[in-house]
Amino acid sequence: METNRAIPNIRVPLTTSVEKILNAVGRAFDEKGDVLEIKGLPLRVYCFRHPDHAEEILKHQPVGITKHPGVMPRVKHVMGNGGYILEGGAQWKQRRAQVQPAFKSEWLAHYSGQIPGLTDKLFELWDGPAGSNEEIDIAPGLRALITRVNFQIFFSKDLADDAAGLDNPELLAIEHQTHDINLDFVRALPLWVPSPRNSRFKRNDRLLRKCMLDLVAERRMNLSDNKDLLTVLLEASDQESGQAWTDNDIVDEIFSVYFGASVV
């Protein structure tokens, strides 16, 4: 007979960084099991490690459209009017319909065909340390790889040349901006408070948006039929007015896809 069991928990100070919380959760999983509650934060947070739990949660329909109000001020600051901020409804469906052509099966096959070659370059960087049994922190390399893949899918742009590889300064700058924004989406301090972290969050958002706006402007000057998200969004228009999306509309939607999968 099953009985209700208390969920194991860990307590963290309110000012703890997201990185330190994630490290604490990783250690607690090994000690306390696959389900944890984090206490000490201004919202209730539960963490799940087992793939079956994650699958069950993601299949729950309300999860797909429900966004926690605690993260939305920062999300809206970054994503503007992108589809991620919408909780279902006709407008959400319209935004999804505009993006959907970039993810049809033929284009997905094109995207996935590029990934093995990009991944092999990362493995080559790890071959040396691995051959001498050195410990490797794989997180920075994987983040750089994901950033590189995203820019290939969104803009048909390779951020790493053969000379610099994953140490390319432009790639590293964009990866750091992306990573910092991701870490600071969940933050108790209101965004209007002039704190160093809030200033960094806004600066990273500004720099990353400028980077993507420059890529949109460059493509408008040199139109192509590349199989990427930007090609699709340049054809997007408001279904009521018929007006084409502005560059900021396009970047709002790109940010919704770029960050949407990682926002709590």
Side-chain angles (χ1 to χ4, degrees):
M1 180 177 177
E2 291 187 5
T3 58
N4 292 328
R5 294 186 300 170
I7 296 176
N9 67 78
I10 59 172
R11 183 172 292 277
V12 298
L14 180 61
T15 56
T16 306
S17 70
V18 174
E19 285 184 296
K20 289 183 178 179
I21 291 175
L22 293 176
N23 289 334
V25 168
R27 293 191 298 269
F29 272 143
D30 293 334
E31 299 170 0
K32 302 187 177 188
D34 293 330
V35 182
L36 295 170
E37 179 182 5
I38 301 178
K39 293 190 173 183
L41 302 177
L43 48 89
R44 300 183 72 177
V45 177
Y46 296 93
C47 303
F48 302 86
R49 178 171 64 170
H50 198 284
D52 289 347
H53 294 151
E55 182 180 7
E56 185 175 350
I57 292 169
L58 293 174
K59 283 183 177 179
H60 188 53
Q61 187 174 5
V63 171
I65 60 174
T66 302
K67 284 84 178 181
H68 196 287
V71 306
M72 290 313 291
R74 291 172 181 268
V75 168
K76 290 179 178 178
H77 180 88
V78 172
M79 298 183 192
N81 294 316
Y84 181 88
I85 70 170
L86 304 172
E87 295 194 5
Q91 188 179 1
W92 175 78
K93 290 181 179 179
Q94 291 173 9
R95 303 286 296 201
R96 285 294 298 269
Q98 300 276 18
V99 176
Q100 194 61 37
F103 299 98
K104 55 190 177 182
S105 58
E106 178 188 350
W107 287 36
L108 289 175
H110 172 70
Y111 304 151
S112 60
Q114 301 176 66
I115 294 175
L118 301 179
T119 306
D120 286 344
K121 293 184 181 297
L122 179 59
F123 289 159
E124 290 172 7
L125 291 177
W126 289 343
D127 279 344
S132 56
N133 293 322
E134 293 180 36
E135 191 173 284
I136 303 172
D137 181 3
I138 66 173
L142 288 175
R143 289 198 302 266
L145 174 64
I146 292 169
T147 302
R148 189 179 181 188
V149 169
N150 282 338
F151 270 69
Q152 285 274 27
I153 292 173
F154 295 169
F155 305 106
S156 296
K157 179 178 177 61
D158 191 354
L159 290 173
D161 55 41
D162 291 337
L166 292 178
D167 288 329
N168 181 286
E170 183 182 18
L171 170 61
L172 292 178
I174 291 172
E175 184 278 312
H176 289 321
Q177 292 156 13
T178 301
H179 183 55
D180 281 350
I181 290 173
N182 265 323
L183 290 178
D184 277 347
F185 271 127
V186 183
R187 184 68 54 184
L189 191 67
L191 195 53
W192 54 263
V193 176
S195 70
R197 290 196 72 97
N198 282 348
S199 296
R200 186 176 69 181
F201 180 83
K202 292 177 180 179
R203 182 176 65 254
N204 285 326
D205 168 57
R206 186 169 60 251
L207 292 171
L208 193 55
R209 178 169 286 267
K210 182 182 184 304
C211 169
M212 294 193 179
L213 283 171
D214 288 345
L215 290 172
V216 174
E218 180 181 333
R219 179 70 65 84
R220 285 197 189 277
M221 295 290 293
N222 300 281
L223 292 176
S224 71
D225 57 355
N226 290 339
K227 289 181 179 178
D228 57 31
L229 180 59
L230 181 54
T231 293
V232 171
L233 295 183
L234 284 170
E235 298 293 326
S237 61
D238 184 276
Q239 293 195 356
E240 294 183 1
S241 68
Q243 291 185 332
W245 283 8
T246 67
D247 289 4
N248 271 308
D249 289 331
I250 290 173
V251 173
D252 286 348
E253 201 60 40
I254 288 174
F255 272 167
S256 287
V257 180
Y258 190 70
F259 288 111
S262 57
V263 177
V264 175

